[in-house]
Amino acid sequence: GKQHAAQLLPGMLQKHAGKRILAVLDPPRGGITGGMRQNLEALPEKSCLVYISCHPATWSRDAAVLMSHGFAPRSARMVNQFGRTAHFEIFSVFTREKQ
């Protein structure tokens, strides 16, 4: 069957232990799920996370979750990908420096 990214991440991180990681998250409108939140702590120090969101409220909630896991916001930009609609995407970059 099909595996969810949250199920694949632990094995991938173990395989590449000690290396810098660039992760890209582009969840559905509901934002980051519980399975992905559980894996945030597993990301190594000096990780870079690109988070793409289509909903400002879930982006705000998820940004707070990311910061609670040691990620610092570095940049964010709104992109109007869907002309003539009220919808837009937020592209943001977070970095992590573990203590």
Side-chain angles (χ1 to χ4, degrees):
K2 196 166 32 169
Q3 284 190 303
H4 191 272
Q7 296 169 316
L8 295 172
L9 186 59
M12 292 173 64
L13 290 174
Q14 185 177 17
K15 181 179 178 181
H16 299 287
K19 296 180 182 175
R20 292 182 182 199
I21 298 291
L22 168 64
V24 178
L25 295 176
D26 187 5
R29 193 166 181 81
I32 297 173
T33 63
M36 189 63 236
R37 282 189 193 127
Q38 292 173 352
N39 287 309
L40 289 173
E41 274 302 314
L43 290 171
E45 62 182 69
K46 298 192 187 284
S47 294
C48 182
L49 181 65
V50 177
Y51 177 47
I52 304 165
S53 176
C54 63
H55 194 275
T58 55
W59 181 89
S60 179
R61 180 202 66 203
D62 291 346
V65 169
L66 292 170
M67 288 186 283
S68 76
H69 286 280
F71 287 91
R74 298 298 178 201
S75 65
R77 180 167 296 185
M78 289 177 33
V79 177
N80 182 2
Q81 285 188 213
F82 311 102
R84 300 181 188 170
T85 73
H87 300 286
F88 57 89
E89 298 283 323
I90 302 170
F91 288 77
S92 51
V93 176
F94 292 81
T95 58
R96 179 188 217 178
E97 300 288 337
K98 277 191 177 176
Q99 312 303 343

